[in-house]
Amino acid sequence: MFNSNSAPVTSSQLTDFAQSVASEVDRRCLHPRAVELIVAAEAGAAIELVVSHTRGSASASAQIDQLLTSRRRMGAIVSGVGWSPDPGTPTSSAWLLIAVGVGGVAAVAAVRRLEEDEGWWELRPSELPWLALSSAGALRGALEQGRPLRLKSARDRGLFERPDENPSPPLDERGEL
């Protein structure tokens, strides 16, 4: 029997979903100084968001688990980061959005510096640091295999490097990225 929740997501569907999540973050005027983490999932034609003010809180983890418990085809993580478009530009407070879908389509990522940018800028996967790539992999595992979404804090400077800068990913105490 065909299950629409396991149908592969197309690149255009994932891009549309990522744009909808970005628009919802902007519409709600969410700011990284007040919000630690946002996890979004598609719910038919709508988007459901969990907005966490304290990363790693039991309440936020339970809400995220509940959000991802039902079979979802697409999900996104939005977190506050320091971002610079190039090495010569100062780092600014920004939102980083990473969206994934079931079926293996490449992740969609976008960034918006809060003070400098009017809109969101799409990023190629090659522009993402290890931390963002790890987040994409964890979210994909939650959507496709029902694995719990492990939320981590980044302490290792290597997590902020791209694979072209540091080809060996930094690993945690469990040997995972």
Side-chain angles (χ1 to χ4, degrees):
M1 184 164 134
F2 179 74
N3 180 350
S4 65
N5 287 331
S6 61
V9 170
T10 67
S11 182
S12 63
Q13 287 173 322
L14 188 58
T15 299
D16 289 347
F17 171 72
Q19 290 171 343
S20 295
V21 173
S23 294
E24 186 64 14
V25 169
D26 289 345
R27 186 187 72 75
R28 292 188 185 192
C29 298
L30 299 173
H31 197 285
R33 289 188 193 104
V35 174
E36 289 282 332
L37 179 70
I38 302 163
V39 178
E42 55 77 32
I47 296 172
E48 290 183 30
L49 294 182
V50 171
V51 179
S52 172
H53 297 278
T54 309
R55 186 182 304 243
S57 75
S59 171
S61 294
Q63 289 176 331
I64 292 167
D65 287 345
Q66 198 63 16
L67 177 71
L68 298 175
T69 296
S70 3
R71 297 287 296 169
R72 305 293 185 153
R73 295 182 63 233
M74 294 178 277
I77 296 173
V78 184
S79 59
V81 297
W83 188 264
S84 172
D86 57 66
T89 305
T91 300
S92 301
S93 184
W95 280 123
L96 176 63
L97 182 151
I98 301 157
V100 299
V102 298
V105 67
V108 171
V111 66
R112 183 174 68 82
R113 295 175 299 167
L114 299 172
E115 303 300 325
E116 295 87 343
D117 297 333
E118 293 289 320
W120 292 74
W121 298 92
E122 189 169 349
L123 300 172
R124 295 183 314 271
S126 62
E127 296 176 287
L128 295 175
W130 283 113
L131 180 63
L133 296 170
S134 173
S135 298
L139 184 56
R140 188 179 307 275
L143 294 174
E144 292 185 347
Q145 285 98 33
R147 285 190 230 142
L149 184 61
R150 288 182 61 212
L151 301 176
K152 298 181 182 182
S153 296
R155 292 184 182 92
D156 185 335
R157 179 117 177 99
L159 287 167
F160 299 103
E161 295 176 325
R162 296 182 315 266
D164 66 323
E165 296 171 321
N166 179 7
S168 299
L171 304 177
D172 66 12
E173 66 282 352
R174 297 168 66 167
E176 298 174 351
L177 176 63

